[in-house]
Amino acid sequence: MRIACIDGDGIGPELVDSAREVLAAAAEADGLTVEFGSESAGAGTYLRTGEPLAAGALERFRTEYDAVLKGPVGLPDVRKPDGTEAGVLGGVLRNGLDTYANVRPVRLLPGVREAAGPIDYVIVRENTEGLYLSRGSGVRNDRAASDQLLMTRVGVERIVRFAFETARARTGAPADGVRRVTCVDKSNVLRSFAFFRDIFHEVAADYPDVEADHRYTDAAAHDLVANPGHFDVLVTENFVGDMLSDLGAATVGGLGTCPAGNIGERTAYFEPVHGSAPSIAGQDLANPTSQLLTAAMLLDHVGATGTARRITGAVEAAYAEGAVRLNPHGTPTCGTKGVTAAVLSRL
């Protein structure tokens, strides 16, 4: 398989190096051949070229690679003239590749922290519409500003169907084993979310084997903390999903433990949930767990399921056996390289 790598900014290169090393070792153990390509993107690329992504990269992602492994990008001081952050790739890749499904598993790894019960759910976030479709196209003056939220039937139908298919492939919510999709919205306030919920009901009728569930956004934020075992798969709009996935990460040890995938009909790219954390870059402090689990998601997506499980199992063993422990602020006590070594030894 051929994998494009975007090293990114800040801690990105350290994390992607760790993932490349683990992915290559796991693939070799299973007799797979992996070739890594390198593509320039992020804040550093923006400063050099005026664009956040190397010329022609989108077409190469579509035609020359099986998938893309991306590190975190962006630096807080690298800004566009309108004040928004430059060097980030969300709109460039998600809309450019039509990777409409943002998939964010939230799972409590063994040995990370005490919890009342297991936490294991997936947030399926619509990736190309919603409030973030206004990225770069809102209007403002010195007295007012406006960004528009847009949903389409095609966009909502496909993300809801993706969520139900995801639930069918899982074993159900930890609390009761029920395969369940929870629609998270503000349909009591906004017409766009009422539209989302109506289409959710339509699609749910095609999946009688999966329970259709509902939460308003604020109630979902509460219940993801108070009763996380109830949830199996959640489906929601772009901006809401962005917020809830960070909230979920805080319940399982922090953003450094959470992977993500961006999946479309033709191509996909995989990345950690968190940012580039430039304040700790180059100091062997970053937690590569999110990037390693991201690599496992990539392998699973391209059909190398056994190799993906090999990586996931090694990560779980490293935590369960105490080889990897996290400081209160989420960095590993053994450092980035120590986590990598612990996982490699358990492959």
Side-chain angles (χ1 to χ4, degrees):
M1 67 188 73
R2 191 150 192 259
I3 299 171
C5 291
I6 296 173
D7 285 356
D9 304 302
I11 60 175
E14 301 166 72
L15 301 190
V16 175
D17 279 348
S18 172
R20 262 192 297 254
E21 190 174 358
V22 169
L23 197 157
E28 182 180 7
D30 288 339
L32 301 177
T33 300
V34 179
E35 179 183 342
F36 295 105
S38 180
E39 295 286 349
S40 176
T45 302
Y46 178 85
L47 290 174
R48 290 192 305 272
T49 69
E51 298 291 340
L53 182 65
L58 285 177
E59 184 59 24
R60 289 191 292 275
F61 294 154
R62 294 188 193 102
T63 61
E64 298 181 16
Y65 297 102
D66 295 296
V68 181
L69 181 66
K70 172 187 166 293
V73 299
L75 294 172
D77 296 332
V78 181
R79 300 273 168 174
K80 296 178 182 177
D82 65 1
T84 58
E85 191 174 355
V88 293
L89 296 173
V92 175
L93 293 181
R94 290 168 184 168
N95 294 87
L97 298 172
D98 196 29
T99 50
Y100 66 90
N102 181 252
V103 183
R104 295 191 170 186
V106 178
R107 183 164 177 262
L108 181 61
L109 295 170
V112 171
R113 57 177 292 271
E114 294 293 328
I119 302 173
D120 184 0
Y121 58 84
V122 179
I123 295 176
V124 175
R125 164 189 167 197
E126 203 292 317
N127 221 11
T128 59
E129 299 184 347
L131 188 59
Y132 286 170
L133 187 59
S134 281
R135 187 195 308 263
S137 60
V139 295
R140 63 163 287 178
N141 58 26
D142 61 347
R143 294 174 181 158
S146 176
D147 293 296
Q148 189 176 52
L149 189 159
L150 176 69
M151 298 181 187
T152 68
R153 173 166 286 275
V154 169
V156 178
E157 281 182 348
R158 67 181 183 176
I159 196 62
V160 171
R161 197 165 296 281
F162 188 101
F164 275 95
E165 292 291 341
T166 300
R168 270 187 173 170
R170 288 170 50 83
T171 57
D176 56 14
V178 174
R179 288 185 172 90
R180 174 182 294 120
V181 177
T182 302
C183 177
V184 181
D185 59 53
K186 286 298 289 182
S187 58
N188 57 331
V189 177
L190 299 175
R191 289 179 177 177
S192 55
F193 280 105
F195 176 76
F196 191 102
R197 183 178 284 207
D198 286 345
I199 296 173
F200 173 83
H201 279 300
E202 293 175 16
V203 174
D206 294 335
Y207 295 87
D209 54 318
V210 179
E211 180 182 299
D213 186 38
H214 307 92
R215 290 290 187 284
Y216 293 135
T217 302
D218 43 349
H222 173 277
D223 291 350
L224 284 172
V225 176
N227 187 25
H230 169 81
F231 296 99
D232 182 22
V233 176
L234 300 89
V235 64
T236 190
E237 177 268 345
N238 208 332
F239 176 62
V240 170
D242 198 7
M243 291 189 294
L244 293 184
S245 62
D246 275 28
L247 181 147
T251 69
V252 295
L255 293 169
T257 66
C258 294
N262 301 273
I263 300 170
E265 298 296 336
R266 296 180 55 195
T267 190
Y269 71 96
F270 298 83
E271 62 183 343
V273 171
H274 57 74
S276 63
S279 63
I280 62 170
Q283 301 174 53
D284 194 40
L285 293 174
N287 186 358
T289 301
S290 56
Q291 194 81 56
L292 299 180
L293 295 176
T294 289
M297 284 185 73
L298 183 155
L299 289 169
D300 189 58
H301 177 74
V302 300
T305 305
T307 309
R309 288 176 179 165
R310 183 186 291 276
I311 292 176
T312 302
V315 170
E316 291 175 353
Y319 276 92
E321 296 165 14
V324 177
R325 298 185 183 278
L326 300 181
N327 293 310
H329 48 278
T331 60
T333 57
C334 60
T336 310
K337 294 177 181 177
V339 176
T340 307
V343 173
L344 284 169
S345 70
R346 289 164 173 79
L347 284 176

